[in-house]
Every structure is written in C-alpha cells, then in structure tokens.
Amino acid sequence: MEVHVRNLHEGATEKQTKQYFKPILARLNIHVFHCQKPRNKGFANITIPDRALAQKFLALHGQIKPGREGFMLVKQKLFQHGKPVNCTQSNNAADDFILKSLERERKDKQLAGRRGLLASSATKRQPLQRSFSGHLSAIGSLDYEGNHLVVVDYYRIRGACQMKFLRRSVLIEFTTRPSDPIRQVEISYNSIESLLVGTSAHPYVTFALAEAPRCFEKAAPVDDAVSQLFNRLALHPQKDNRNPPKRRRTTAIDATHQAIVGSCLCYSFQVEPGHIKIITSLQRLPGYPSVVPWRVGYAVKLPFTQQMTQLNTALSAERYQEFSFTVKFQLQRLAQNGYLPPYKVLQLMQAMKGTFADADQSILATALRRFSNQIPYAGPGVDASDLSPATLLELLMGAHDHLLRENDYSVDLTRRYEHLADIHKITVTPAGVYLYGPEPEVKNRVLRQYSAFTSHFLQVTFSDEDGEPIRYDRRSSLETIYAERFKKVLSGNLSICGRPYEFLGFSHSSLRAQTCWFMAPFIWNGEVRFARAVIKDLGDFSAIRSPAKCAARIGQAFSQAFSSVNIPGECFRVLPDVERLDTNGIRRVFSDGVGTCSKSILEKIWAAYAQSRAWKPTLCQIRYAGAKGMISLDSRLQGDVLCLRPSMIKFEATSTQIEICGAGFKPLPFYLNRQLIKILEDLGVPEHAFLDLQDEAVEQLRITVSNPINAGYYLQRELVGKSARIPWLIRKLFYIGMTFSEDQFLRDTHELAVLVRLRELKYRSRIYVERGITVYGIMDETEYLREGEIYCSVHDEKGGMVLTGRVIITRCPALHPGDVQYVSATDVPPDSPLRSVHNCVVFSSKGYRDLPSQLSGGDLDGDLYNIIFDDSLMPTMMSKPADYPIMPAIDIGREVTRSDMTDFFVQFMENDQLGRLSTLHQTLADQKPKGVFDPDCILLAEMCSTAVDFSKTGIPVDLKKMPKSSNVRPDFQAPGPRVLIENAIKIEDIDAEDDDEDEEDPEETAPATRYYESPKVLGKLYRAIDEQDFFTAIQRQSQASRSYQQSSLAIRLWDYVKHKTALIQYQHYLDFARDVKDAYEDNMCSTMREYSLHPVHFASEVEVFAGALIGKNGAQSKRQREISTSMKEKHDREVAYTVQCILQGEEQDSSKQEALERSLACLDVAVHERRTFKRFGKLVSFTWVAAAVCLKEIEKLPGS
C-alpha cells in the first residue's frame, strides 16, 4: 500500500524523511519500506509491502478528514520540526516494481540472517560521529627533516573546514566568508595510501594519497525560509523540474592549489583534541581506511612551482644533453607523478650526470622506470635514509646493473616485432597531467611513416583521477572540466622535457576511449615537421565541411595496422557501387565498404602478415590511401588487381601502402548477451533454451575441477598460460603422479580463470553457443544469391562446412526487435568464385534493401555478423527491421580547422551517452509488458543508433526525448560481491543491511537504487547462478582431490626431475638462470604495477599470469577487459621470450643445444632462490614456467 504524506519540510531530503519515519514504522514491526520525496517539495509517498501493517499505521497516524479538525482526530499525531505531518492512504496503487524490490530486500535480509551477516538488535553498533570541525594545516608532500617525518607545506587556505567521513570517501568543506562559495575536496578511501593521526596534544589528521582528490564548488547557502517566501511571492514561481546540479566540479580549490594539486598528495588538518579518538575508531567500520597513530611535523621548502620550474629548465638545458628524451621523460615522470619531490629528482639528475655518462640510454631509461617501482613512499616504517640522495642513487645503480646483467634476456618487443612501436603516454585528469610508458603499440600509418621519430608522438588519454572515464554525475556540473580544463589542453601544448606537443588527431576507436594523438615537431628531410604538415601529407581533407567527419577521415591514418604491403597505383581499379532504390525511393548501397582483389595480391598480404603462416585468409580489413573497408578474393581476377569502390574511398591520398587491420582467419565463437537474449525472448524463443545453455556452460566449469585433465584442457581453451605451457604442465604433473591443486599458485590460477568465466555468465549473460559463429560480411560479386539468401563457408582446425537451411543473423549491438532476422543459408555451384572465399558471410546483392543495413544499421566495411543455427534458439515470430532516417553530418560551411576537431573531441566526451541509454533500454524492456516492442524501447533503440553515429555525424542524442524511469531496476543489474586475492581467492559476502544512514553523502539528494526479482528470463538466468555457493563447492572439491604431503609440490617436482636427470651437469648455467629469472620477475613487477586498477594495491601475480583483472563488482567492466587484454598480450610475449631464452641460451642458438641443462638450472634457482619484493611480496610463477620447459626437455631423453 502507498501512504501519502503531506506538510513535510520542503528542504528535507528523501534520506532525512526516511530516517524520520524509520523508528515510527519499526514500532509497528515495519522494517522494509520505500520512501519517495521529491526535491524541494512538502510531500512524500511511503510504500509498505504488507497491507495489514500499512492499515495499522494509518489507524494510529492516519488522517481521515482534511484540515485542522481532521488532524485533531488522529490517534497518535506526528510532528516534524514542530510542523504537523498529515498521513493518508494514497489515491494511487503502489508501484508493482517497488513492491517487488521490497520483497527482494526482505528475502536478502532473511538470507543474510541465515549466513550470520546481520547483527542482532543487542549487538548493533551505535551511530558514530562522522563530522568534525577543523582547519587545513597544509597541502604538500611527506618528506623528512633529519629523521622526522614532516608535511612540506606548499599550500594552505584560511578559514575553518568541516571533515565528513562518508561511506566511500571523506568530504572536506572549506568556508572563508559566509557569502563565498563553499569549496569541497573529496578524497576516496581507495586512494588513501596512509591515514596518520596524532594525539590529543597534537591533534592532526594527515591523508597521504596515491591519486589527486576531486574538487567541487557550490554556492553559499541561502536562508531556506527566506528563499521559500520569495518563491511564494513571485508572480511565476520557478518550477524545479530538472533538479539542476547543486555543485560544480572544479580542477582545484583555487588557482594556487591548481599548480600543485596533481603532484602534491598530502592533506593535513588540525581537529579538536577530543576528536582524535573518535576518528581512530572509525576504522572498524567496513570499507574505511586503516589508521596509523603517528605524529608528523611541518616544514617549509622552496615553493613546489619553483622546484618544477628548475627541474623543467634542467630537462631542457644543454648541460644534460647526453641524456636522451626517453631518460628525461622518466625523470620528469618521477616528479610529475608524485614519486619524488622535484628537488630530489634534480639532485638525482646531477648525480646521474657523472655516474651514467656513458650508459646506454635505452637501458638507463628502463632502469629509471624500474627504479620508480622500488621507491618507498615517505611515511611510517620508512627511514629518512631510505629516501636520501645517496640511497636513491644506489637504488638506481642497482636497477641499472641488474638490467646490464639480464640485458640479453630482456624483451625488446619493438625490435622483435616490426608492427610494434614504443609509445610514450600521457593521462590528463581534472587535477593533473601524468606520464606513463613507453608501451609497445601496434603501428598506424603515421607511426610507420615516421618510424625514426616515434618518441615525438604521444598517446594522450583524458580520464578521471582513478583512470576511469569521467561519467555523468547528477549531483555535479562537469562543464568546467570539459569546456575549460580539457579544451585548454587540447588547444594548447603539452610541454614534456622541453618538447612542445600539440594535438594531431584520433581514430574512431580511440575517440570512444577518450584518447588522441599529440606530436612534437622534428626535422624531416631538412625541414621542421609540424602537426599540420603531417596531416597535409595524409591526404586532401579540404572539401570536408563536418568536424566529426573530417576527424574520422584523418583518423583512418591512426587505425592500428599489423602489417603493410606496397601495391603500385597501376594495380588499383575502381568498381562501381551496387545501388538500388527501395520502395520509399531511398538509395541503398549494397556494396557499402567492400571491394575485391586477385589471389596474387592476397599472396603478397600473406607473405607480410605473420598470422597468415598458419591460416590463409581470403578477406582482409584494409586501409589504402584514402580508402577503408574490406577486400575479398575474386578468383576471376588475373595478375595484381585491387578493386575498390566509391563507398570505400573517403578522401584523396597518394599512399600506395595497403595496411592490414584485420582478416578472416577463422570464424570467431558466438556468445549470447543480455540485449540479444531479451530480443529473442520477446520473439518467442522459450526460456528453457537459454537456461539449458547456461546450465551446460556452468557444468563445463564445474567439471574442470573434477580432475587435472579437464582443468588443463579448460585452461588451454581459455588461452590461460599458453606461452608458459601451463595447460600441458597440469596434465603432465597428473601423468607423473602429482596434482596441480596441491600448489596454491597453480590452484589460484585455475580458480581465477573459472571465476572470470562464471562472472561473465552471471553478470553479462555471456553464454557460448556452439552452433553459432561470428564472421565478417562481404557482398556476392557473382549475383548468384537471391534476396534473403546468404552463403557461409567455414574453415577451421576442425575442418570445413557450408551452412545450409534457415538460420538467424544479427549484429551487435542489437536493441530493436528487427535487428534479428531469418535468412536462408545456401550453397553455390562448384565452379562459383564464391567457393574460394571462406570464414565470412556473403550477402545477396539483390532486393530493395541490403540486409546488413537492416541489422543494427550495419555495412560491409569491417562489421562482424553473428549467425545462429541452433534449433533451440529459433524465434516463432519476426519483426520488421528498423529504418531510421539517415542523419547528415553537421556542415559548418567552411574548411575544418584543428580547433573545430578538438571542440568535437570535447563535445563527444561530454555527450557520449550510449552506455546510459543502453542500460535504460535493458531496464524498461524488463519492466514493460511488451518488452522490446514497447514504444519507449523502440524510441531508445533509435536514440542508441543516433548515439552510435554521433562520432561520424557530430549530432549528439537529444536526452530530452529519453523516457522517464524510476530508481527501481531488475535484480540482474545489481552489483556483485567483491573478490579478494590475498592468500587465496575469496568472494566477499554482501552485507544485506547497513542501518547507518549517516554514512551516505549528504550532497546526495537522488533516491538510492532498488532492485526487484525480474520474472523474465534474464532474471532467471541471473538467479540460477549462486557464485558464492559455486565457488565454495569447487574449492571444496579441489581440496578433496589433493593429497597432503609434507613437502611442497615444487620440492617434490624437483626431486622427480633430479632423479630423471641424475647424470646431467647443469651448475655452469646457474648464473645464467639467475639472470633469466631476475629479468622475468622484474617484468612481472612492472606489469603488476602498470596494469593495476587500484592506485594503492597492485595487480596480483595470479591476475597477471592468468591474464584477467578481476572485476570489483560482478563482471569485468569494458575498461577492465581492455586492460586485461593488453596485460595478457604483454605478459604472454614476455613469457614466450623467457622460454626462448631458456631453450636457446645467450647466443639464441636455434639448435637448442643444452636446453635441458639450462632448464634444470632455471628450475633449481626458481625452487631454491625465491626473491621477496618489498611491494609485491614473494613471486612464484617463474617456478612453473621453468618446470614446463624442463619437463618438456626431459621427454626428449632416450627412454623417457
């Protein structure tokens, strides 16, 4: 039942209203209820799921008659701040989804009670004070005066401050004068490196941070009664329908703070003496930072800005010209990223000048990078001597000497792989500019052309302080960050080591990642090369009048290409596009983005493309001069012939290099996702079809634990530890009488791989469909296929087949019910040229409308299509495909300038709402009776299409059209529990109740999100997996399957190996083995730090080895998946090189003589000489890399 409440204080928030009613309802045994109070309104609605209890509440507090007389008849009158509160039964029925969410909350509390998570009424904690008055003592950095830890004071602000410890962060508010805006600094608990508190005699609280805080400004408070009075007296009172943000995000507290906010990460405050003990007690609450009792002093040094100026001057000075740019980049990184204060970096530079006068610059730069990972943070437990100039130099020299010894075994990827280049990277946040890298990146056309000047190109990413994109925040305006901070960086220069870098361009994919390219001028063919000249050489863009389209065309040159082949201009031909008018007179291009080539052209590509050694693709995704798209083999063409179409040619250019961005080597697997499952459900596919597929996938995960053979094959299928041969090693251990699960590290590697896949099933519904494939699309050049027909020939390691019969075809993202269509898969005559193409879908060139455009607006320039031939997933009905009007790109009526493109880049960052719209579509499709056919969902599908095209048209989606929604969502959108990787993998329980409402941010006025049990198939799929129970079961099963031995698995394996190789001498390779091991572990430490998702806690060795960063809540985010992929590629390359070093030795002898001896030495060192790293602990994975090589070599011995 819904209860309507009137005469509330208009300024009261929803949370304050809920807190008011909570004890009143609790007295009636009502512990689960929902409160809705519009902002700045004097009424609220309370939903009580139990109708009898609701009526009991109204019998006591309800008002039957209106007015004063009616209130006097109320049995137990309610007052808020002295005002009478009127409660009546609402004229509206209670919202069904709110009732469902309340029922889910009730069940969750029952479950938590059974698991012992809820505290009893007798043991519930008393509310703690969380708000404290004080003064800012200093903003600066931790350092030492003599042996005493001090805060170096680089900034302070007059006036009082209020420190509020919230659920996930501490919010500090500064006030100077009553009429001034309130300045806020928000420090995330995740960013706190250490929290130091003094004593009652020295009442200071000091936050040492790993990342810059977020800063805000909000208007000074206005007397609420006065503002309401003026609003009532106004002839046209302002209606607050849109709830504009209450505060605005800023870059810093003020201009002085701006100069240091990105690098000075220590904030110290003085509080009242009695508050020290209370602040210390807060650490017992879940999620709060640990407190270290420590007295810090204060010191004044040369202002930070002057220190940075001195350092930047030195980095540009001729005095240090013997240091290369890569070395200077690392030195600037030390100061700018906050590893060391600038004056200490300058001292280090001066000491390096003599010590490393003749050093190899690439080795020195790598040594500096490793050195940065070894620098201790100033703070408790660190001696002043650990950060003295002499100690820092000694640490750097140690890193350098280490590299010299292991230089032969270090991975120089850019020398081994022609398609890679080392690229320096910059991250721009609201607070600072941070330096990273260099990292190997796949080359693009620009990097390939200027391969000798790659250090003059920077990859620049715009993000929030935690590395995530800045997201929409209903509480705060972000205009200052986008329009001022980010636009200023894009319009000006980034000064790095004296080089002025300016904006160059971005690719389509990098735009969505909020990343672009900058470049610094260099001498090219005797003249200075600036960004505008580089762009001019790419082609003629003068006729393009749309900033978005011009940026996209220039961006073709920034697409990553794995190889390039020179194709002379005389081989190039233009084919006409296949066009036809549909029934509405709209021109349809059936050949949009696709051309052909002869076999001899493909053979040239095969020879240059490393991956083509195993598979010979018959179609490739290319960039050629000003053209982009797909080319496929046409066996009728003789000689060297490359045929492109006008739809592929985007601008005029003279380059004759054909660049390969991708190819159809073999069909990719097909996975269902939530969007597609919902569409198929609404098209009549029975829910058991999805549940059966998921059950099968879960069972496949479960049986991987049943024995080591299954575990090995599972890791092999998931490509976990492939370079280290871990899947083979697990099976081999079983064959020699040992079980991999007896070792914690190998067991964690397997469990992490299983957990990642399980979470993708539960939180993304990413379900593998065996009878489904994902392939590129091309057009039928022979005109054999009729309308509604496709040809699909599949070749992989299992053999070949041609699909026939009725199949489903779709493309991601699918949101409109018409994005899924039936087609007829057919074979072609034996002599057809189509017989020569495989691992693609060939679309008909006949009919009124091309089929790709009917599938989420697809084309043939490289889009991937999903084909499903599983009978259980066949819909019982079809929907007409969407046909959205083609939006012409914005035309500014003149030639596009650099400023126009940077404006668009900022506009895209600010207005990219695709994720938000897709989530709302998913929510409404679950709630509306018609599902994806509901008009609101149809509208959202169109808005998503506009959002997808935003990057090409420059037209953002109009959010005013967005359908209204509540804060109630289906349960499958709820976040999951955290996963901890410490001594073993553990899934945290979710605390179902936290009564302490004061933990919430007082700035938060929007209602909290509620979740209900979805009755649709996505809800059933979600609830069918209990990851806590599943993971507990597989850990219990793994524990039961292993035998308990006194010695570790590594020791017993070493005993086995010694017995098998008793007569083989290997001791002369022990120094070699130590160097290989050190190189491997140094690379591991570097990867653990660089790919960490957390500013304080690094990625674990297990995550790096398994190639998966575990998601914080549920499945991995898109960013986490991308970082995991990059991390896995890097680690796999390093492991492959390590294995090669063991097999081939110092001389890289291809004959592999004495490979067994080297592997024995490596295994001996790995088992008996384990290093412990200060920040990373003891690393163990090299043991199993060496073990796999060693056991493989033992197999080659006679009689083995």
Side-chain angles (χ1 to χ4, degrees):
M1 178 187 289
E2 185 173 275
V3 175
H4 185 65
V5 183
R6 291 177 290 111
N7 208 35
L8 292 169
H9 194 280
E10 291 184 6
T13 66
E14 183 170 288
K15 287 172 186 170
Q16 290 168 339
T17 304
K18 182 178 180 181
Q19 281 294 90
Y20 170 75
F21 278 101
K22 195 170 188 177
I24 298 169
L25 293 169
R27 288 195 290 269
L28 298 173
N29 202 30
I30 300 173
H31 301 288
V32 175
F33 67 96
H34 179 66
C35 176
Q36 290 175 295
K37 182 187 181 296
R39 183 176 168 187
N40 295 334
K41 300 294 182 182
F43 65 87
N45 291 311
I46 296 175
T47 304
I48 301 172
D50 189 313
R51 188 175 187 86
L53 289 176
Q55 289 173 339
K56 188 175 180 181
F57 168 82
L58 288 173
L60 285 174
H61 308 292
Q63 183 171 336
I64 300 173
K65 293 183 178 181
R68 182 187 296 272
E69 181 183 349
F71 184 72
M72 297 305 296
L73 297 175
V74 174
K75 289 183 179 179
Q76 292 185 13
K77 301 174 180 59
L78 299 177
F79 296 89
Q80 185 189 41
H81 303 302
K83 293 178 64 176
V85 176
N86 308 125
C87 301
T88 57
Q89 182 174 342
S90 173
N91 294 326
N92 301 319
D95 184 282
D96 187 47
F97 292 106
I98 291 177
L99 290 174
K100 287 180 179 179
S101 73
L102 292 171
E103 175 62 17
R104 180 178 186 267
E105 183 181 336
R106 185 188 64 79
K107 288 182 178 179
D108 285 347
K109 288 188 175 185
Q110 286 181 344
L111 178 62
R114 288 197 297 270
R115 288 181 172 174
L117 296 177
L118 292 182
S120 68
S121 58
T123 60
K124 280 183 181 178
R125 61 178 181 261
Q126 293 298 315
L128 293 172
Q129 179 180 348
R130 300 169 189 277
S131 185
F132 308 93
S133 300
H135 292 80
L136 175 65
S137 299
I139 297 176
S141 59
L142 285 176
D143 207 337
Y144 295 90
E145 283 282 314
N147 292 320
H148 299 291
L149 185 65
V150 297
V151 178
V152 180
D153 182 0
Y154 292 127
Y155 172 89
R156 65 174 60 199
I157 187 172
R158 291 181 179 178
C161 71
Q162 195 75 15
M163 188 185 307
K164 304 172 185 177
F165 286 84
L166 310 176
R167 187 185 295 274
R168 298 177 185 87
S169 61
V170 57
L171 183 72
I172 299 116
E173 290 191 338
F174 300 96
T175 53
T176 49
R177 293 175 300 182
S179 58
D180 288 345
I182 296 173
R183 307 284 183 173
Q184 296 180 326
V185 172
E186 188 175 65
I187 298 173
S188 166
Y189 294 146
N190 282 339
S191 70
I192 297 175
E193 177 72 25
S194 56
L195 173 53
L196 312 178
V197 296
T199 63
S200 57
H202 189 80
Y204 291 91
V205 177
T206 302
F207 300 89
L209 309 181
E211 67 184 35
R214 292 167 174 81
C215 297
F216 302 89
E217 176 189 287
K218 69 174 185 177
V222 178
D223 183 88
D224 196 55
V226 174
S227 64
Q228 290 180 31
L229 176 62
F230 274 98
N231 195 44
R232 293 192 187 99
L233 292 175
L235 292 176
H236 302 285
Q238 183 179 357
K239 293 184 179 180
D240 187 13
N241 294 327
R242 294 179 298 165
N243 290 338
K246 294 178 67 176
R247 59 181 185 174
R248 96 185 149 91
R249 180 86 180 265
T250 59
T251 56
I253 297 172
D254 55 29
T256 307
H257 185 225
Q258 175 66 65
I260 68 164
V261 62
S263 303
C264 296
L265 303 178
C266 184
Y267 288 68
S268 189
F269 302 88
Q270 181 180 4
V271 296
E272 294 179 17
H275 288 164
I276 288 294
K277 187 175 181 180
I278 302 174
I279 291 172
T280 302
S281 69
L282 290 175
Q283 65 181 324
R284 69 180 174 84
L285 300 176
Y288 283 68
S290 298
V291 171
V292 180
W294 203 273
R295 178 170 176 171
V296 296
Y298 294 89
V300 177
K301 295 186 183 292
L302 187 69
F304 183 84
T305 51
Q306 291 186 33
Q307 290 184 38
M308 279 303 296
T309 300
Q310 290 179 356
L311 177 61
N312 289 331
T313 301
L315 289 169
S316 308
E318 290 187 9
R319 183 186 172 200
Y320 295 101
Q321 63 184 354
E322 70 266 29
F323 292 145
S324 67
F325 172 81
T326 54
V327 170
K328 292 179 179 179
F329 183 92
Q330 298 303 327
L331 288 166
Q332 183 170 338
R333 173 174 169 262
L334 290 175
Q336 204 149 317
N337 290 23
Y339 290 101
L340 290 172
Y343 80 91
K344 286 195 174 181
V345 178
L346 194 55
Q347 289 173 347
L348 184 65
M349 260 184 89
Q350 292 164 350
M352 286 171 57
K353 186 171 173 62
T355 309
F356 299 103
D358 301 318
D360 181 293
Q361 294 296 290
S362 63
I363 294 177
L364 181 56
T366 305
L368 279 165
R369 195 170 171 185
R370 289 191 180 176
F371 161 75
S372 69
N373 292 337
Q374 299 167 2
I375 299 171
Y377 284 109
V382 176
D383 272 348
S385 59
D386 293 340
L387 286 163
S388 69
T391 304
L392 291 173
L393 180 62
E394 185 180 342
L395 199 61
L396 175 59
M397 290 171 64
H400 183 262
D401 292 345
H402 216 79
L403 274 170
L404 285 177
R405 289 197 308 273
E406 65 184 50
N407 190 39
D408 290 336
Y409 323 113
S410 297
V411 190
D412 189 344
L413 297 174
T414 56
R415 291 182 184 176
R416 297 188 69 213
Y417 303 102
E418 289 185 1
H419 68 283
L420 296 178
D422 274 333
I423 300 300
H424 294 85
K425 299 184 177 184
I426 299 290
T427 296
V428 179
T429 72
V433 175
Y434 304 101
L435 285 61
Y436 300 97
E439 297 290 344
E441 289 285 331
V442 177
K443 289 180 180 176
N444 53 47
R445 184 179 303 179
V446 174
L447 295 178
R448 194 171 280 109
Q449 181 175 352
Y450 302 106
S451 56
F453 300 92
T454 53
S455 70
H456 288 74
F457 294 89
L458 288 178
Q459 206 174 69
V460 181
T461 300
F462 295 82
S463 75
D464 213 334
E465 306 305 332
D466 59 0
E468 294 283 351
I470 294 182
R471 304 194 186 281
Y472 164 77
D473 182 358
R474 59 175 171 258
R475 301 174 303 168
S476 312
S477 166
L478 298 171
E479 185 178 356
T480 300
I481 305 303
Y482 289 117
E484 296 179 22
R485 167 67 173 162
F486 287 172
K487 175 58 180 174
K488 183 178 179 181
V489 172
L490 286 160
S491 301
N493 289 326
L494 281 172
S495 179
I496 308 296
C497 307
R499 286 185 184 175
Y501 286 83
E502 62 177 334
F503 173 81
L504 181 62
F506 50 84
S507 67
H508 182 263
S509 59
S510 72
L511 173 64
R512 294 205 172 275
Q514 301 187 359
T515 298
C516 60
W517 289 92
F518 275 50
M519 70 159 282
F522 53 87
I523 304 298
W524 173 259
N525 292 336
E527 60 181 31
V528 180
R529 202 71 160 174
F530 292 96
R532 60 179 177 273
V534 170
I535 297 298
K536 186 176 181 181
D537 280 357
L538 294 176
D540 183 7
F541 307 99
S542 59
I544 303 174
R545 294 292 185 261
S546 165
K549 185 170 286 188
C550 185
R553 300 300 170 242
I554 294 172
Q556 289 177 211
F558 297 103
S559 298
Q560 294 183 340
F562 294 94
S563 62
S564 65
V565 180
N566 185 53
I567 305 295
E570 56 267 22
C571 303
F572 167 58
R573 299 179 189 173
V574 177
L575 286 178
D577 270 308
V578 178
E579 301 177 344
R580 197 169 290 113
L581 295 179
D582 67 11
T583 54
N584 296 318
I586 298 173
R587 184 176 67 94
R588 303 291 185 179
V589 182
F590 286 69
S591 57
D592 189 6
V594 66
T596 61
C597 67
S598 62
K599 186 175 182 181
S600 62
I601 292 288
L602 267 185
E603 287 172 344
K604 288 181 170 61
I605 293 173
W606 294 342
Y609 205 171
Q611 289 178 267
S612 297
R613 293 167 190 162
W615 302 93
K616 307 296 182 187
T618 56
L619 65 158
C620 298
Q621 187 180 22
I622 66 156
R623 302 290 184 266
Y624 180 78
K628 66 185 285 279
M630 299 293 298
I631 57 170
S632 63
L633 171 63
D634 187 339
S635 57
R636 298 169 297 184
L637 297 174
Q638 302 299 314
D640 290 348
V641 181
L642 174 65
C643 300
L644 305 181
R645 288 188 163 93
S647 61
M648 302 175 70
I649 302 170
K650 307 300 183 181
F651 60 91
E652 295 298 322
T654 58
S655 172
T656 59
Q657 293 288 320
I658 189 169
E659 296 160 332
I660 315 303
C661 302
F665 290 102
K666 55 183 179 178
L668 299 173
F670 168 64
Y671 292 89
L672 291 168
N673 57 44
R674 285 180 170 172
Q675 295 166 332
L676 186 54
I677 288 172
K678 184 56 190 163
I679 290 175
L680 290 175
E681 178 190 26
D682 291 346
L683 290 177
V685 176
E687 64 182 31
H688 71 77
F690 307 108
L691 289 165
D692 289 348
L693 284 171
Q694 179 172 278
D695 288 345
E696 183 181 341
V698 172
E699 185 59 28
Q700 289 294 323
L701 292 178
R702 188 174 282 110
I703 65 173
T704 66
V705 191
S706 62
N707 64 65
I709 304 300
N710 290 339
Y713 282 117
Y714 172 74
L715 294 180
Q716 182 175 315
R717 187 167 63 249
E718 295 296 314
L719 303 178
V720 174
K722 180 182 177 183
S723 298
R725 299 172 179 167
I726 297 302
W728 175 87
L729 173 67
I730 286 175
R731 297 195 296 270
K732 180 66 177 178
L733 288 171
F734 176 72
Y735 296 143
I736 63 176
M738 301 181 193
T739 306
F740 82 94
S741 58
E742 295 171 21
D743 179 77
Q744 182 74 54
F745 180 81
L746 291 179
R747 188 165 66 249
D748 284 351
T749 299
H750 174 243
E751 288 179 357
L752 182 62
V754 170
L755 180 61
V756 168
R757 186 63 61 224
L758 183 75
R759 290 196 137 201
E760 288 201 331
L761 285 170
K762 182 173 178 69
Y763 298 103
R764 294 178 62 204
S765 299
R766 191 171 185 265
I767 305 171
Y768 173 65
V769 179
E770 186 176 5
R771 295 182 61 77
I773 56 173
T774 302
V775 289
Y776 287 112
I778 61 173
M779 188 192 71
D780 174 19
E781 303 285 348
T782 68
E783 299 185 352
Y784 175 80
L785 299 174
R786 292 173 296 184
E787 183 179 11
E789 291 184 337
I790 63 165
Y791 171 71
C792 184
S793 173
V794 177
H795 290 190
D796 58 17
E797 59 272 5
K798 298 177 184 177
M801 69 170 181
V802 175
L803 296 184
T804 56
R806 193 169 71 155
V807 300
I808 301 170
I809 191 163
T810 184
R811 190 179 79 88
C812 289
L815 294 168
H816 190 280
D819 290 338
V820 175
Q821 293 294 319
Y822 270 126
V823 289
S824 176
T826 186
D827 203 349
V828 295
D831 60 347
S832 171
L834 295 182
R835 287 277 185 173
S836 62
V837 296
H838 51 258
N839 296 335
C840 63
V841 54
V842 183
F843 292 100
S844 171
S845 60
K846 298 178 181 178
Y848 286 105
R849 182 181 176 188
D850 59 303
L851 182 56
S853 71
Q854 301 175 47
L855 307 173
S856 305
D859 55 32
L860 301 177
D861 70 351
D863 287 354
L864 290 168
Y865 294 87
N866 309 122
I867 303 175
I868 307 171
F869 42 99
D870 187 321
D871 291 339
S872 69
L873 295 176
M874 294 296 150
T876 59
M877 58 182 286
M878 278 287 119
S879 174
K880 185 179 179 181
D883 191 8
Y884 306 127
I886 298 173
M887 304 287 288
I890 289 176
D891 188 335
I892 61 174
R894 56 172 172 78
E895 190 171 339
V896 175
T897 64
R898 167 187 153 177
S899 181
D900 294 325
M901 287 188 285
T902 56
D903 282 344
F904 170 67
F905 190 87
V906 172
Q907 183 192 21
F908 186 87
M909 284 194 288
E910 193 171 5
N911 294 284
D912 182 18
Q913 300 289 336
L914 181 58
R916 185 179 167 197
L917 293 168
S918 298
T919 300
L920 180 57
H921 179 278
Q922 192 178 92
T923 302
L924 295 184
D926 188 81
Q927 294 177 351
K928 301 289 186 177
K930 293 183 179 180
V932 294
F933 288 92
D934 187 88
D936 281 349
C937 290
I938 297 295
L939 172 61
L940 281 167
E942 182 175 1
M943 293 177 74
C944 284
S945 176
T946 302
V948 168
D949 292 339
F950 179 24
S951 60
K952 294 176 283 189
T953 64
I955 301 173
V957 67
D958 184 0
L959 294 180
K960 294 177 183 177
K961 297 180 181 178
M962 191 162 65
K964 291 182 179 179
S965 64
S966 69
N967 62 312
V968 184
R969 294 183 179 182
D971 53 352
F972 57 80
Q973 292 182 337
R978 285 196 314 156
V979 173
L980 303 178
I981 303 178
E982 293 172 350
N983 297 326
I985 297 175
K986 179 186 176 184
I987 299 176
E988 279 194 331
D989 283 307
I990 299 179
D991 192 343
E993 179 180 42
D994 189 347
D995 287 333
D996 201 339
E997 295 285 344
D998 291 336
E999 291 184 35
E1000 292 292 353
D1001 186 346
E1003 297 297 320
E1004 178 63 86
T1005 56
T1009 302
R1010 284 189 168 276
Y1011 299 96
Y1012 62 88
E1013 285 192 2
S1014 167
K1016 308 292 178 63
V1017 70
L1018 286 175
K1020 293 178 180 179
L1021 288 168
Y1022 172 80
R1023 293 188 295 277
I1025 297 176
D1026 186 325
E1027 61 178 321
Q1028 181 73 267
D1029 289 350
F1030 177 92
F1031 205 65
T1032 301
I1034 68 167
Q1035 286 185 324
R1036 191 181 300 120
Q1037 186 176 352
S1038 174
Q1039 187 176 10
S1041 68
R1042 60 182 188 262
S1043 59
Y1044 288 91
Q1045 306 282 342
Q1046 289 186 343
S1047 57
S1048 70
L1049 179 64
I1051 292 294
R1052 286 186 290 117
L1053 177 61
W1054 174 244
D1055 291 340
Y1056 168 86
V1057 166
K1058 279 197 302 182
H1059 174 72
K1060 285 286 186 179
T1061 60
L1063 300 178
I1064 295 177
Q1065 300 297 312
Y1066 65 86
Q1067 286 76 9
H1068 56 295
Y1069 278 117
L1070 287 175
D1071 286 341
F1072 161 89
R1074 292 183 184 102
D1075 289 341
V1076 172
K1077 177 175 176 286
D1078 287 349
Y1080 171 88
E1081 291 182 341
D1082 285 340
N1083 284 327
M1084 173 62 77
C1085 290
S1086 175
T1087 305
M1088 289 166 69
R1089 171 142 193 163
E1090 290 168 14
Y1091 288 89
S1092 171
L1093 296 172
H1094 193 283
V1096 177
H1097 308 297
F1098 303 141
S1100 67
E1101 186 181 17
V1102 170
E1103 288 176 294
V1104 174
F1105 199 73
L1109 297 168
I1110 198 69
K1112 293 177 184 177
N1113 301 104
Q1116 294 172 311
S1117 67
K1118 182 180 179 182
R1119 175 174 174 260
Q1120 288 167 342
R1121 293 196 298 273
E1122 290 171 349
I1123 292 176
S1124 293
T1125 299
S1126 177
M1127 177 185 73
K1128 178 175 170 54
E1129 290 172 351
K1130 177 179 183 288
H1131 182 66
D1132 282 350
R1133 288 191 294 256
E1134 290 168 349
V1135 171
Y1137 187 70
T1138 300
V1139 171
Q1140 181 181 330
C1141 287
I1142 297 173
L1143 292 174
Q1144 300 181 2
E1146 297 181 28
E1147 304 301 325
Q1148 296 290 288
D1149 180 11
S1150 59
S1151 65
K1152 301 183 181 179
Q1153 293 181 358
E1154 297 199 330
L1156 176 57
E1157 288 83 345
R1158 286 188 291 271
S1159 66
L1160 282 167
C1162 288
L1163 185 56
D1164 187 354
V1165 169
V1167 172
H1168 299 108
E1169 300 180 18
R1170 291 186 173 176
R1171 273 199 298 173
T1172 299
F1173 294 81
K1174 191 166 187 178
R1175 293 196 185 182
F1176 306 99
K1178 189 175 290 186
L1179 302 183
V1180 299
S1181 59
F1182 182 75
T1183 301
W1184 304 110
V1185 174
V1189 178
C1190 191
L1191 289 175
K1192 199 73 174 174
E1193 292 301 309
I1194 289 174
E1195 280 192 343
K1196 299 175 184 178
L1197 291 175
S1200 294

